[in-house]
Amino acid sequence: MKIKLCMLTIVMLAIWGMKRYYADARVDDLWWILSPTARLAGSMTGAAFGMAPGEGYFSHERLFLIEKSCAGINFMIAAFGMVTFALVHRVGSGLSVVRVLGVSLLASYSAAVLVNAARIAIALWLAAHPIAPSTFTSAQVHRLEGIVVYFGGLVLLYELVQRFDRGIALTRSEP
Amino acid sequence: MNGAMWPTVLQAFRRATPPLAWYYAITLALPLANGAAQAGVAFVEHAMVVLVLPPVLIVLACAAYEGARVLPCGTTGCGMTVTEEPHKRSHRLPL
């Protein structure tokens, strides 16, 4: 119990730290997440994203900028917290804390890059194929799309983690 | 909404509670704690959309799932043979 509380404290501090880091970071500091996201979004859509120092990653032919607010850090933080809490029952020793934190970090980072790239690819498609222009502005469509993709991504990630968790439990229970 | 859909919706909400809670925590609770409410109407409008859309998506996903489940196999291509009894169908949720 004590070790679980200790891990949850570490997680809450890490979330607070990531939020602080994100608030203070310049767009160039976020290369570690923006660069793979831009590359993946580029390979999904065929758009070429180049780094624009101080601005983000820009596609000249699509006139689309992946800026700081598009980094998906909030999604990564939510995913990290969610995965850690989903796996907290596996914690029993110092080593298992490191393992759960490592898996959570890796899963949240990978999911953030993948989901964010998908969101950007959909945004590029929506920009090229505007739907119901009289009902929603492009900013509203972008916001709605962000909510759908990010929340859907969290639900899918949670399902994957649950299956992975059940899979481990089944493997261990086999003779 | 069909009354028979409620158990599916409730179960879907139960399963989606952790992602929903974390989504709300990061998109609403943390910004509120950091004073986002000072932005006034803009934040309230944003918060309303963020608050309402995920539950709507869950209900829509359930409706789509229930709709697909009641369709005859021939139209969905689900691969079930006609000899299978309806109660043997899988009742897994879409979420």
Side-chain angles (χ1 to χ4, degrees):
Chain A
M1 189 65 193
K2 211 172 178 180
I3 201 149
K4 282 181 185 169
L5 277 175
C6 195
M7 195 194 78
L8 293 180
T9 309
I10 293 172
V11 170
M12 297 319 281
L13 284 173
I15 287 174
W16 180 79
M18 277 197 271
K19 266 298 219 188
R20 286 291 343 136
Y21 165 76
Y22 182 46
D24 299 336
R26 290 167 302 133
V27 67
D28 297 345
D29 299 331
L30 299 172
W31 63 269
W32 54 273
I33 193 159
L34 282 175
S35 172
T37 303
R39 248 180 289 149
L40 191 58
S43 62
M44 282 176 179
T45 59
F49 285 97
M51 194 184 176
E55 291 178 56
Y57 286 78
F58 188 62
S59 165
H60 286 280
E61 78 263 34
R62 306 283 184 104
L63 294 177
F64 194 94
L65 177 70
I66 305 174
E67 52 171 13
K68 183 184 168 182
S69 63
C70 295
I73 300 283
N74 283 333
F75 177 88
M76 186 180 156
I77 294 171
F80 176 69
M82 184 186 74
V83 175
T84 316
F85 273 70
L87 297 178
V88 74
H89 67 97
R90 296 212 158 268
V91 169
S93 64
L95 187 66
S96 59
V97 169
V98 174
R99 216 181 295 146
V100 166
L101 287 177
V103 166
S104 304
L105 200 60
L106 190 68
S108 57
Y109 175 75
S110 314
V113 170
L114 191 67
V115 169
N116 207 23
R119 187 185 65 86
I120 291 163
I122 295 169
L124 280 168
W125 186 88
L126 285 173
H129 307 83
I131 47 164
S134 58
T135 317
F136 296 109
T137 64
S138 59
Q140 285 170 328
V141 170
H142 193 59
R143 183 200 289 171
L144 292 176
E145 184 231 343
I147 295 170
V148 171
V149 174
Y150 282 147
F151 176 63
L154 275 184
V155 171
L156 283 177
L157 178 64
Y158 185 69
E159 279 301 304
L160 278 175
V161 169
Q162 293 286 85
R163 280 174 193 222
F164 165 77
D165 196 25
R166 278 196 296 266
I168 289 177
L170 275 176
T171 312
R172 283 190 181 166
S173 65
E174 278 172 10
Chain B
M1 197 193 312
N2 185 344
M5 213 180 100
W6 279 114
T8 311
V9 172
L10 285 176
Q11 202 180 340
F13 268 100
R14 259 201 301 274
R15 285 179 74 167
T17 298
L20 197 59
W22 278 100
Y23 186 72
Y24 284 158
I26 299 299
T27 54
L28 295 174
L30 270 181
L32 272 174
N34 285 329
Q38 288 167 355
V41 181
F43 181 77
V44 173
E45 190 196 325
H46 170 75
M48 289 306 289
V49 179
V50 167
L51 208 59
V52 169
L53 194 54
V56 170
L57 287 173
I58 293 173
V59 174
L60 285 178
C62 289
Y65 168 75
E66 283 291 322
R69 205 168 59 82
V70 297
L71 277 177
C73 283
T75 56
T76 58
C78 66
M80 277 179 65
T81 61
V82 287
T83 53
E84 276 182 301
E85 294 161 38
H87 71 270
K88 286 185 181 170
R89 288 186 184 190
S90 165
H91 281 260
R92 291 185 61 82
L93 289 167
L95 292 172

